[in-house]
């Protein structure tokens, strides 16, 4: 805006109260440069991450005194009733690679029901697997019918080869939920590895595919001897792995 910001400020103020979330987000980004001492619209700046990550980070640098302040803004946004805002917060938290960010993502995963937000949480957990893998594995005991169970399984799927040993143990667990969620995670993993941008989650796609294939005997056993629900998830995992190998 240069020196014209005083003339343009009323336009920003109007945009900040509009119905269009993208417009509000961009307006909040601009407002952060004009009034960096005013964090009233920090949550809308977080929303901006969905539309323009680079601009969002530049705007946040104006508002946040340090990394702790930025994380505080993200935590506030992650508790919003607005699903798009929670998704933006989760996506941003996933890039920070800090203990605080990982803890917040794990906290979000325990209650999130919106599928789109849950996907962002899952990818964030995967990007911070050094701090989240063990916690996600423990959550395999959740009732497989809950949306939270799907979130953790998806996170393990995004962790690709790093989660294979845990899934191998899970497929042999005495708890049916653990077995079903492990098979579900294997199916997700096959989908991740078949994606053109698999390199985002796997440093060696060929190696990780080999690791996933090593689970076939255990999954096949569950498809043959498990309950109806277990068979359904195991058979789906086998189909997804078969597609990956085509």
């Amino acid at each position: 805006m240069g020196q014209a910001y005083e003339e343009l400020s009323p336009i920003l103020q109007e945009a900040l109260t509009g119905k269009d979330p993208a417009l509000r987000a961009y307006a909040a980004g601009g407002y952060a440069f004009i009034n960096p001492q005013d964090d009233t619209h920090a949550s809308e700046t977080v929303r901006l991450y969905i539309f323009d990550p680079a601009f969002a980070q530049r705007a946040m640098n104006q508002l946040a005194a340090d990394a702790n302040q930025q994380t505080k803004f993200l935590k506030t946004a992650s508790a919003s009733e607005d699903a798009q805002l929670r998704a933006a917060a989760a996506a941003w938290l996933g890039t920070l690679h800090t203990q605080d960010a990982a803890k917040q993502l794990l906290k979000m995963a325990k209650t999130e029901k919106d599928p789109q937000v849950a996907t962002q949480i899952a990818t964030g957990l995967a990007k911070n697997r050094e701090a989240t893998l063990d916690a996600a594995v423990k959550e395999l005991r959740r009732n497989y019918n809950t949306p939270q169970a799907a979130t953790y399984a998806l996170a393990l799927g995004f962790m690709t080869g790093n989660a294979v040993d845990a899934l191998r143990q899970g497929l042999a667990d005495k708890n049916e939920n653990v077995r079903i969620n492990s098979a579900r995670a294997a199916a997700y993993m096959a989908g991740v590895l078949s994606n053109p941008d698999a390199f985002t989650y796997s440093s060696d796609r060929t190696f990780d595919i080999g690791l996933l294939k090593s689970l076939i005997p255990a999954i096949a056993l569950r498809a043959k001897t498990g309950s109806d629900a277990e068979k359904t998830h195991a058979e789906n995992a086998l189909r997804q792995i078969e597609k990956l190998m085509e």
Side-chain angles (χ1 to χ4, degrees), residues 16 44 52 57-58 78 82 85 89 105-106 119 124 126 144 148 152 157 170 173 196 225 229 242 245:
L16 283 165
E44 288 299 333
D52 194 332
Q57 184 62 71
R58 289 174 60 199
S78 71
D82 186 327
L85 192 51
L105 286 166
L106 287 168
T119 297
Y144 69 90
Q148 290 79 16
Y152 292 111
D173 198 274
T225 64
E242 184 178 349
M245 294 166 59

Side-chain angles (χ1 to χ4, degrees), residues 44-56:
E44 288 299 333
T45 304
V46 174
R47 189 194 306 278
L48 180 59
Y49 191 82
I50 289 180
F51 306 105
D52 194 332
F55 185 26

Side-chain angles (χ1 to χ4, degrees), residues 11-237:
I11 298 176
L12 277 182
Q13 291 290 353
E14 183 178 353
L16 283 165
T17 60
K19 295 182 179 181
D20 185 338
L23 186 60
R24 292 200 308 273
Y26 274 101
Y31 187 81
F33 282 89
I34 296 174
N35 296 291
Q37 73 284 354
D38 184 356
D39 60 14
T40 305
H41 306 291
S43 288
E44 288 299 333
T45 304
V46 174
R47 189 194 306 278
L48 180 59
Y49 191 82
I50 289 180
F51 306 105
D52 194 332
F55 185 26
Q57 184 62 71
R58 289 174 60 199
M60 182 61 72
N61 290 342
Q62 300 296 314
L63 296 174
D66 51 32
N68 289 334
Q69 183 65 47
Q70 174 177 312
T71 301
K72 181 180 178 180
F73 288 142
L74 293 174
K75 286 182 177 179
T76 298
S78 71
S80 171
E81 294 183 0
D82 186 327
Q84 186 183 64
L85 192 51
R86 296 198 305 276
W92 202 332
L93 285 165
T95 68
L96 299 185
H97 302 289
T98 65
Q99 286 292 331
D100 280 347
K103 288 180 180 178
Q104 187 63 24
L105 286 166
L106 287 168
K107 181 179 179 179
M108 293 177 73
K110 290 182 180 297
T111 57
E112 188 56 60
K113 297 180 180 180
D114 185 279
Q116 293 183 335
V117 181
T119 297
Q120 293 296 342
I121 293 171
T123 57
L125 291 173
K127 291 175 181 177
N128 292 270
R129 61 178 178 271
E130 294 83 1
T132 62
L133 173 58
D134 291 343
V137 170
K138 290 179 180 178
E139 297 294 343
L140 289 174
R141 293 185 175 277
R142 281 184 177 262
N143 185 319
Y144 69 90
N145 283 312
T146 63
Q148 290 79 16
T151 301
Y152 292 111
L154 181 58
L156 291 169
F158 275 116
M159 292 181 194
T160 60
N162 298 280
V164 167
D165 284 342
L167 298 187
R168 193 188 317 279
Q169 295 178 35
L171 288 164
D173 198 274
K174 294 180 179 179
N175 186 301
E176 182 181 52
N177 283 317
V178 176
R179 298 195 301 271
I180 291 176
N181 287 324
S182 295
R184 173 190 278 166
Y188 287 144
M189 192 180 297
V192 171
L193 291 171
S194 65
N195 198 288
D197 63 353
F199 65 88
T200 303
Y201 303 98
S202 172
S203 58
D204 190 332
R205 179 175 178 272
T206 300
F207 182 72
D208 284 346
I209 288 176
L211 289 175
L212 178 59
K213 286 169 59 178
S214 72
L215 296 180
I216 291 177
I219 299 173
L221 180 62
R222 302 272 56 94
K224 183 178 180 180
T225 64
S227 64
D228 288 344
E230 199 170 344
K231 288 178 180 178
T232 297
H233 286 279
E235 289 171 355
N236 180 55

